[in-house]
């Protein structure tokens, strides 16, 4: 869907200056591992009620499923041109397979995790479709973002909102645990999708969720022992946000300041322990019962049924609890049974189960019903839940974290009853706070973030950042663990040309997991990119230089460079993508 919104050009604006730039609407794109969506609100709506945020109901399976997010799937035609996104992409690809016309198409699903798993992210990086056909990752991401952008603008148009592109402040959510390469990759994808860079804000997911929660009335909060929302967001109090999504778990710890400002007191952290780990365990269970050959054949030949199986499991896994001993019933596609019969014509599923010591006494399978004992069903969650619990336990050993009085559990996976129960049991002295719209906390909170760019006042640096001096010296700009004001630049660094006719200065940027590295060759040090400064006027020969001011406290690193003599701003940029 292409919107009729007109593009306008404006001069470059630093992200730190966005808070003073005019806008009419905040439009947020929530690009998730499993599901994606968007939300928006006008400046006027925010002023009256920050929670007055518009979303969209997406339809799946010919309208049989209504959801506030759509599946993170994208389909390209054989000539690599974009076709469709979301539930529509799933359904169309399934039909192509049924008609045996899918072979030259490109279908990508749950591809966001590639930006967490792949450390050496470049503009030429490729993703591999369902049929293993390669495509540039930046094209896949950019087209997905473009679809969400155009769909949002189309929705605004249908609702009578007449907008210029310059009227919109765009927000794109990213995990705080992503590295600088991944963040720059998403920013460039958004710009390729038609979002001007000077109108784009990257919102860190766990922070966005906190901004949503701070405005919720008590009736919309599920609060654990002895607490309420007023206590959680009282000035001086501290809380931990545990944002558990489909792919990643994002954790941050805030202290509440007067005026509901928020200060990060421990560096953002987390891991890849989200809800898709449970999905993999469920598929492993089916593979062990039926055989890997059967399940793989089913996935390849009955894509529509496989997608429906995943959708139904997504709903079912939220209701599995340790509070019941009753068997859990899963409804499975008949085509899965048919596949088993085709591959094992002389054997029944019942016989396969009875001969399996691990499962013979723990489950039954009749027709399209798989009934699993509660204890066995809970094991599918064990690895994911335990990794989250273990990580939070380790975090609580730090004094600045231990002082947190509450844990805010948000994200789609937070609706899992087992996860809620385990966290509550492990941390009985902490208030467990779960918003009723936990799965939409990031989506809606990022809209609020777009209106409140100065809510987060300080962040803790996850690494030591610096540049290389002569002799491999690590020139430190910001230290790991250092508290960094969000909008303030650090001390000015001076750079000089080394050749009389040099028109570009390029300096490598390094990170270290240690607070005080001496050399860029020290263990753990890594070159993550470069600072590039254009110096086109060579009339002064070697008597030229530039002063650079870095800002490390934002969601992204920023740099502002001025000529050493004239103080005029120089064209400069950070390149983390090679």
């Amino acid at each position: 869907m292409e919107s009729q919104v007109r593009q306008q050009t404006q001069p470059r604006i630093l992200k730190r200056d966005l808070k003073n730039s005019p806008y009419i609407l905040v439009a947020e794109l929530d690009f998730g591992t499993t599901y994606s969506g968007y939300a928006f609100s006008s400046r006027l709506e925010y002023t009256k009620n920050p929670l007055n945020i518009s979303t969209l109901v997406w339809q799946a399976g010919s309208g049989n499923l209504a959801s506030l997010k759509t599946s993170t799937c994208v389909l390209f035609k054989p000539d690599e041109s974009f076709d469709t996104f979301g539930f529509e992409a799933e359904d169309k690809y399934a039909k192509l397979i049924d008609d045996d016309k899918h072979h030259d198409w490109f279908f990508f699903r749950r591809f966001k995790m590639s930006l967490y798993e792949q450390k050496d992210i470049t503009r030429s990086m490729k993703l591999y479709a369902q049929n293993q056909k390669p495509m540039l990752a930046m094209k896949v991401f950019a087209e997905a973002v473009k679809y969400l952008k155009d769909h949002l603008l189309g929705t605004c148009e249908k609702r009578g909102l007449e907008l210029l592109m310059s009227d919109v402040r765009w927000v794109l959510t990213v995990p705080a645990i992503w590295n600088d390469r991944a963040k720059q990759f998403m920013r460039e994808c958004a710009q390729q999708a038609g979002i001007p860079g000077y109108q784009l804000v990257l919102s860190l997911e766990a922070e966005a969720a906190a901004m949503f929660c701070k405005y919720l009335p008590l009736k919309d909060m599920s609060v654990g022992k002895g607490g309420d929302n007023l206590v959680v967001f009282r000035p001086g109090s501290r809380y931990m946000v545990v944002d558990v999504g489909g792919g990643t778990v994002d954790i941050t710890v805030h202290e509440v300041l007067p005026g509901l400002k928020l200060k990060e007191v421990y560096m953002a952290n987390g891991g890849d322990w989200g809800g898709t780990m449970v999905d993999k365990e469920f598929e492993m269970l089916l593979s062990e019962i039926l055989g890997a050959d059967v399940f793989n054949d089913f996935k390849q030949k009955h894509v529509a049924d496989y997608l429906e199986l995943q959708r139904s499991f997504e709903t079912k896994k939220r209701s599995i609890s340790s509070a019941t001993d009753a068997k859990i019933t899963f409804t499975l596609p008949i085509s899965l049974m048919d596949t088993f019969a085709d591959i094992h014509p002389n054997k029944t599923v019942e016989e396969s189960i009875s001969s399996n010591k691990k499962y013979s006494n723990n489950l039954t399978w009749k027709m399209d019903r798989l009934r699993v004992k509660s204890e066995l069903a809970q094991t599918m969650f064990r690895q994911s839940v335990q990794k989250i619990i273990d990580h939070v336990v380790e975090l609580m050993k730090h004094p600045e974290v231990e002082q947190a009085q509450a844990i805010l559990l948000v994200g789609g996976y937070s609706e899992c009853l087992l996860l809620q129960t385990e966290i509550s049991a492990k941390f009985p002295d902490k208030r467990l706070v779960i918003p009723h719209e936990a799965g939409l906390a990031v989506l809606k909170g990022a809209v609020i973030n777009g209106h409140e760019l100065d809510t987060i006042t300080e962040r803790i640096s996850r690494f030591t950042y610096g540049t290389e001096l002569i002799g491999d010296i690590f020139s430190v700009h910001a230290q790991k663990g250092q508290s960094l004001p969000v909008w303030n630049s650090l001390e000015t660094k001076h750079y000089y040309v080394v050749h009389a006719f040099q028109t570009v200065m390029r300096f490598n940027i390094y990170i270290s997991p240690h607070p005080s590295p001496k050399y860029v060759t020290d263990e753990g040090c890594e070159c993550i990119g470069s600072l590039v400064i254009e110096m086109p006027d060579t009339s002064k020969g070697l008597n030229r230089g530039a002063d650079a001011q870095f800002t490390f406290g934002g969601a992204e690193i920023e740099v502002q460079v001025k000529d050493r003599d004239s103080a005029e701003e120089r064209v400069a940029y950070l390149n983390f993508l090679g």
Side-chain angles (χ1 to χ4, degrees):
M1 182 188 302
E2 290 287 347
S3 171
Q4 300 302 312
V5 174
R6 300 192 303 275
Q7 295 278 355
Q8 288 190 340
T9 58
Q10 286 189 355
R12 185 176 71 93
I13 300 175
L14 285 172
K15 292 185 283 294
R16 74 181 77 174
D17 296 326
L18 268 173
K19 60 182 178 179
N20 299 317
S21 63
Y23 71 96
I24 293 175
L25 186 86
V26 167
E28 187 273 337
L29 308 180
D30 184 20
F31 191 81
T33 299
T34 310
Y35 294 105
S36 296
Y38 60 72
F40 56 90
S41 75
S42 70
R43 197 167 190 165
L44 180 61
E45 287 171 326
Y46 163 77
T47 302
K48 292 181 177 179
N49 178 6
L51 295 175
N52 188 6
I53 297 167
S54 298
T55 56
L56 181 75
V57 176
W58 304 79
Q59 301 293 331
S62 302
N64 295 327
L65 172 67
S67 172
L68 290 171
K69 291 185 181 181
T70 190
S71 183
T72 305
C73 301
V74 61
L75 180 65
F76 292 85
K77 297 172 184 176
D79 63 357
E80 298 194 17
S81 61
F82 173 80
D83 187 78
T84 190
F85 179 84
F87 292 137
E88 288 183 13
E90 287 185 339
D91 295 340
K92 182 167 183 175
Y93 187 65
K95 188 176 186 303
L96 286 168
I97 290 180
D98 289 343
D99 297 338
D100 197 32
K101 296 180 179 179
H102 66 290
H103 301 287
D104 295 326
W105 290 66
F106 298 79
F107 180 66
F108 298 91
R109 188 166 185 267
R110 298 187 176 183
F111 49 90
K112 179 184 174 183
M113 281 299 289
S114 63
L115 295 186
Y116 178 77
E117 296 164 345
Q118 180 73 27
K119 301 307 178 186
D120 187 21
I121 299 169
T122 65
R123 295 179 182 85
S124 60
M125 183 176 82
K126 293 186 177 182
L127 295 179
Y128 291 86
Q130 192 96 341
N131 55 9
Q132 296 304 304
K133 289 167 65 74
M135 185 179 289
L136 280 176
M138 192 163 274
K139 177 181 177 66
V140 177
F141 278 87
E143 290 291 352
V145 172
K146 184 176 185 298
Y147 174 87
L148 291 172
K149 180 208 73 173
D150 290 343
H151 203 291
L152 184 152
L153 292 174
T155 299
C156 290
E157 206 168 354
K158 289 176 182 177
R159 298 184 184 183
L161 290 172
E162 296 183 5
L163 299 165
L164 297 173
M165 194 64 177
S166 58
D167 294 331
V168 184
R169 176 178 289 173
W170 294 92
V171 182
L172 186 62
T173 55
V174 296
I177 60 173
W178 270 10
N179 63 30
D180 296 295
R181 292 189 181 104
K183 292 175 184 177
Q184 186 172 78
F185 185 93
M186 282 305 298
R187 171 169 284 278
E188 292 193 10
C189 287
Q191 291 177 219
Q192 285 190 21
I195 298 176
Y198 54 80
Q199 290 174 231
L200 176 63
V201 177
L202 294 193
S203 177
L204 304 183
E205 292 170 355
E207 292 180 354
M211 294 187 200
F212 173 70
C213 291
K214 75 176 184 176
Y215 285 112
L216 285 179
L218 293 181
K219 65 182 179 64
D220 292 331
M221 301 288 282
S222 174
V223 183
K225 302 176 181 179
D228 57 45
N229 198 27
L230 297 177
V231 173
V232 173
F233 287 97
R234 180 180 58 200
S237 64
R238 291 188 179 188
Y239 61 83
M240 173 186 288
V241 181
V242 181
D243 174 23
V244 282
T248 57
V249 176
D250 228 16
I251 300 175
T252 190
V253 183
H254 290 153
E255 179 178 325
V256 182
L257 305 177
L260 286 181
K261 302 291 186 184
L262 306 174
K263 178 176 74 171
E264 187 176 81
V265 295
Y266 190 79
M267 67 191 75
N269 56 92
D272 54 348
W273 321 307
T276 52
M277 283 189 77
V278 185
D279 300 349
K280 292 174 183 176
E281 291 292 329
F282 178 59
E283 293 190 11
M284 190 178 299
L285 171 70
L286 296 178
S287 293
E288 290 181 354
I289 295 170
L290 303 173
D293 53 345
V294 172
F295 194 71
N296 288 334
D297 194 61
F298 161 74
K299 287 198 298 183
Q300 294 296 323
K301 295 181 179 178
H302 303 280
V303 174
D305 289 342
Y306 173 57
L307 294 175
E308 187 57 40
L309 173 64
Q310 290 192 313
R311 288 172 187 169
S312 64
F313 180 70
E314 184 68 29
T315 301
K316 174 65 71 172
K317 74 182 183 184
R318 299 176 189 181
S319 64
I320 297 174
S321 167
S322 58
T324 178
D325 294 328
K327 287 187 175 180
I328 311 298
T329 301
F330 299 96
T331 301
L332 303 175
I334 293 295
S335 58
L336 182 56
M337 297 289 289
D338 292 341
T339 303
F340 180 87
D342 291 342
I343 295 178
H344 302 286
N346 300 318
K347 191 176 184 180
T348 66
V349 173
E350 290 80 4
E351 290 172 342
S352 179
I353 292 173
S354 62
S355 63
N356 190 317
K357 293 181 180 180
K358 183 177 179 180
Y359 299 121
S360 58
N361 296 320
N362 291 308
L363 57 84
T364 58
W365 194 326
K366 292 184 179 180
M367 300 297 289
D368 63 343
R369 295 286 191 273
L370 173 65
R371 303 197 69 214
V372 181
K373 282 188 176 180
S374 178
E375 295 88 344
L376 177 59
Q378 291 175 42
T379 63
M380 293 187 291
F381 297 79
R382 185 170 296 155
Q383 184 181 16
S384 171
V385 170
Q386 197 58 52
K387 283 184 176 293
I388 295 170
I389 294 291
D390 289 347
H391 188 74
V392 175
V393 167
E394 287 301 310
L395 290 177
M396 288 294 181
K397 294 178 181 179
H398 297 274
E400 57 269 53
V401 178
E402 197 278 332
Q403 295 175 34
Q405 297 101 330
I407 297 175
L408 274 60
L409 190 62
V410 298
Y413 187 30
S414 69
E415 297 175 21
C416 168
L417 296 176
L418 268 173
L419 179 61
Q420 295 177 13
T421 300
E422 291 298 319
I423 290 180
S424 183
K426 190 66 179 179
F427 307 101
D429 59 330
K430 307 294 181 184
R431 300 183 184 95
L432 180 60
V433 181
I434 309 167
H436 289 174
E437 291 186 307
L440 297 178
V442 172
L443 180 76
K444 292 188 173 183
V447 175
I448 296 172
N449 189 183
H451 291 290
E452 301 181 6
L453 296 182
D454 58 355
T455 290
I456 305 295
T457 63
E458 295 177 44
R459 292 189 180 92
I460 306 298
S461 181
R462 296 174 60 212
F463 301 100
T464 296
Y465 288 87
T467 53
E468 178 184 5
L469 299 181
I470 295 174
D472 294 334
I473 298 295
F474 195 120
S475 176
V476 174
H477 287 47
Q479 280 190 306
K480 178 180 179 178
Q482 181 180 350
S483 183
L484 301 168
V486 168
W487 299 108
N488 293 355
S489 300
L490 299 181
E491 65 176 287
T492 300
K493 298 290 183 177
H494 308 288
Y495 298 95
Y496 303 93
V497 297
V498 294
H499 302 293
F501 297 101
Q502 186 175 345
T503 57
V504 174
M505 292 194 291
R506 184 176 281 104
F507 303 92
N508 287 339
I509 306 274
Y510 288 84
I511 59 171
S512 171
H514 308 294
S516 303
K518 292 184 178 180
Y519 302 98
V520 297
T521 54
D522 287 353
E523 183 181 1
C525 290
E526 176 188 358
C527 178
I528 60 168
S530 58
L531 166 63
V532 181
I533 304 172
E534 295 186 11
M535 303 287 289
D537 184 358
T538 61
S539 60
K540 293 184 179 180
L542 288 172
N543 189 27
R544 294 178 297 140
D547 297 332
Q549 285 189 314
F550 285 87
T551 303
F552 289 98
E556 305 168 84
I557 301 174
E558 284 194 80
V559 64
Q560 187 174 27
V561 177
K562 294 183 178 181
D563 186 89
R564 185 193 64 182
D565 299 321
S566 68
E568 293 180 359
E569 188 169 347
R570 285 286 176 209
V571 175
Y573 56 91
L574 295 164
N575 180 18
F576 297 127
L577 298 176

